[in-house]
Amino acid sequence: MTAFGIDLGTTKSCIAYVDDAGHPVVIRTAPSVVYFERKDSVVVGAAAKNAALLAPDLAVQLVKRQMGRKDADYAFHGTRYTPESISALILKELAAAAERRLGHPVRDVVITVPAYFGVAERQATRQAAEIAGLNALDVLAEPVAAALSGPPAEGVRHLLVYDLGGGTFDISVIRVDGVDASVICTDGDHRLGGADWDARIRAYLLEAFAEQHPGLVPTADEVFMQDLWIKAEQLKEELSSAPTRDKDLRFAGAVARVELTRRRLEELTADLLDRTMKITQETVERARRHGVTEFDEVVLVGGMTRLPAVAARLEELLGRTPRHHEPDLAVVRGAAMFALARQSRQADRLGITAAEAESMRSRRVTTVIPRGFGVRVLDHNDPLARTDPMRARTYVIHLLPAGTRLPADSGPVTFTTVLDDQPVIEVEVWEQSGRDSSEELADNTLIGRGKLRDLPPELPKGTPIHITFFMGETGLLTVHAVEPVSGRELRFDLQIGGLDQAAVDKAKTAVARHDISS
Ligand code: ADP
Ligand code: MG
């Protein structure tokens, strides 16, 4: 059975597969918008995006920003939805399009996620697939997928992947070593994307309308405003290939013809592009500190990189011409190729050489934890530690630092008791919250705790306790603590993010009941 790649994007999603000749084929792209038309009846895609302009309360957009958050939920027509189940509705629509095209059921998929997604968001993405009745072979970082979408090359290569989409900007440094691909560093602005360019164009159009018809105030008119949203995005997209374009704005019998040139658009949005370039430059410097001094390739990803100004500015900054081939499809094409590789038995029926099949099969992608996990410990350098340990400074030691490959095993790390005759040890598990690793409590989040009880009496303070963290690829963290002399131990699991199985099963039944149209 064919395996598919899915780019589950913030504003746009796509599904693709690799055909018998070994070429990735994109079957469908659709806006990531779900419109809750009636109970158990939803619309997904372009029609939903239009419907959302007039009835925003019945639509969900940008659900990707909520993935993995346990406090995010939605309700429509008396039914509750999680970000996972809303994403599942999008996945189902894409899968249905693929089923119609190929005439057989879709089951195995590889779904892409941003490189900065932590274990929680990745697990939520896997569960969205499960709720949609799909089998996620893997979740794959978007810049890695984009890197894999290019022709295979020999040796160690470093790629800079610049991804400017509808609502987010991501910049990543990827290392590809023959069969192995990993993210070296990543940064971005998750509140910066095409929507900000659109907003500038709308303001420009409104101003131009007001100049031509000073007496009219169209902004309270819903239909006018809906049209303005659509025309602003159209203008932006058209100006990627044309130097100038005009649009007619109509209100109350009046018409304003407004012209926008590419040059004017670039002026109106220069500060937005500047922000991406600043982050890019910082990331290039960070990569240098990681020993990456040169890039073998600069890869453009995301619909917004079709604006000629993007490649021009990057070339100015980096002194090289970026790879620029259907940038909004690079991620899904790479995901489809990776899905094929994951499903090795498929390679046999491809019209490709044995060596090519083998090289695809063996392409591995390493999952690393983007944020560290650790325990809270007492600071023995704080004088209070001796006199009043309960009030002394505590901090976090990361047993699994950011960047650790999964599956990961910290091995036993030795800590000590802080009081004489201490009967109980509380093991608190903390996850790094910021981009940079820090031992301060304020830069970490408490995500779970357990108690090692009934320690034997008369243990002196300073008695060693061994703690081990193990994390599997799905983000299940197993914590083990043992007092080696008595053998008293504590073991507990924390699922980092995601829903529990009962909630997944329930959502699966609920989503299956929905009639999904596009
Ligand atoms: P996502 O953010 O979901 O990953 P994309 O990478 O497809 O989605 O980016 C969508 C953004 O790209 C939208 O803001 C869209 O207007 C913009 N876009 C698409 N095509 C073009 C184009 N030809 N020129 C400029 N912008 C474009
Ligand atoms: Mg994208």
Side-chain angles (χ1 to χ4, degrees), residues 150-471:
E154 291 296 303
V156 177
R157 288 158 41 84
H158 291 104
L159 294 91
L160 182 70
V161 180
Y162 174 105
D163 181 350
L164 187 58
T168 55
F169 168 62
D170 295 290
I171 180 93
S172 313
V173 177
I174 306 298
R175 178 191 150 100
V176 182
D177 179 3
V179 297
D180 204 354
S182 57
V183 180
I184 291 186
C185 57
T186 184
D187 200 354
D189 184 336
H190 307 145
R191 303 277 150 180
L192 178 62
D196 299 291
W197 270 255
D198 299 349
R200 296 284 170 87
I201 298 171
R202 286 199 302 274
Y204 172 84
L205 293 177
L206 274 178
E207 211 174 289
F209 185 91
E211 252 166 46
Q212 295 183 30
H213 301 285
L216 296 175
V217 185
T219 46
D221 186 83
E222 273 186 1
V223 175
F224 178 87
M225 292 308 280
Q226 174 185 18
D227 187 53
L228 192 71
W229 277 85
I230 295 170
K231 290 209 165 113
E233 189 171 14
Q234 273 175 358
L235 262 178
K236 177 188 70 181
E237 295 183 2
E238 288 165 9
L239 288 174
S240 290
S241 41
T244 174
R245 268 278 184 271
D246 46 35
K247 293 277 172 209
D248 287 342
L249 302 177
R250 291 164 202 280
F251 175 68
V255 184
R257 172 156 296 186
V258 184
E259 184 192 53
L260 183 60
T261 63
R262 186 189 292 164
R263 174 173 287 249
R264 186 80 185 105
L265 171 65
E266 288 170 0
E267 285 165 9
L268 290 171
T269 54
D271 59 314
L272 301 174
L273 196 54
D274 284 349
R275 273 160 66 190
T276 73
M277 294 300 154
K278 181 164 174 285
I279 300 171
T280 301
Q281 179 142 34
E282 285 164 6
T283 301
V284 168
E285 277 156 25
R286 212 143 58 89
R288 190 170 294 138
R289 292 199 290 278
H290 281 93
V292 181
T293 50
E294 230 178 295
F295 296 104
D296 296 283
E297 214 173 341
V298 177
V299 184
L300 294 186
V301 179
M304 286 293 297
T305 64
R306 289 185 183 259
L307 291 174
V310 175
R313 284 292 305 279
L314 271 177
E315 194 162 340
E316 224 175 271
L317 184 71
L318 303 165
R320 62 181 311 144
T321 315
R323 184 205 310 169
H324 191 226
H325 171 60
E326 296 184 316
D328 38 359
L329 301 179
V331 168
V332 78
R333 279 193 270 112
M337 286 162 73
F338 185 72
L340 174 68
R342 278 298 310 261
Q343 211 189 29
S344 50
R345 59 197 148 84
Q346 260 223 294
D348 301 341
R349 65 168 184 82
L350 291 175
I352 53 180
T353 67
E356 279 168 341
E358 184 48 40
S359 112
M360 275 187 146
R361 239 201 295 278
S362 53
R363 265 185 175 180
R364 275 183 297 124
V365 170
T366 326
T367 307
V368 298
I369 52 172
R371 298 189 283 259
F373 291 92
V375 291
R376 180 159 80 107
V377 298
L378 179 72
D379 180 1
H380 289 280
N381 292 324
D382 183 345
L384 274 177
R386 251 159 283 137
T387 53
D388 187 0
M390 303 317 276
R391 287 182 43 221
R393 171 178 183 263
T394 59
Y395 66 101
V396 176
I397 292 184
H398 289 133
L399 277 70
L400 300 177
T404 305
R405 294 176 173 222
L406 295 182
D409 186 347
S410 71
V413 179
T414 305
F415 298 92
T416 56
T417 56
V418 295
L419 301 170
D420 284 326
D421 304 321
Q422 189 173 331
V424 176
I425 288 168
E426 173 128 43
V427 179
E428 283 187 4
V429 181
W430 290 66
E431 181 181 20
Q432 171 186 337
S433 45
R435 187 186 77 190
D436 296 313
S437 169
S438 151
E439 61 177 32
E440 298 303 327
L441 293 186
D443 299 326
N444 292 272
T445 315
L446 176 65
I447 57 167
R449 51 155 67 99
K451 282 187 171 146
L452 174 54
R453 295 173 198 279
D454 303 326
L455 292 174
E458 285 158 36
L459 280 183
K461 76 174 172 196
T463 297
I465 304 290
H466 301 312
I467 299 182
T468 306
F469 276 15
F470 176 84
M471 189 181 285

Side-chain angles (χ1 to χ4, degrees), residues 7 9-10 12 64 142 163 165 168 301-302 331:
D7 172 1
T10 310
K12 220 181 64 195
K64 189 171 180 176
E142 286 158 11
D163 181 350
T168 55
V301 179
V331 168

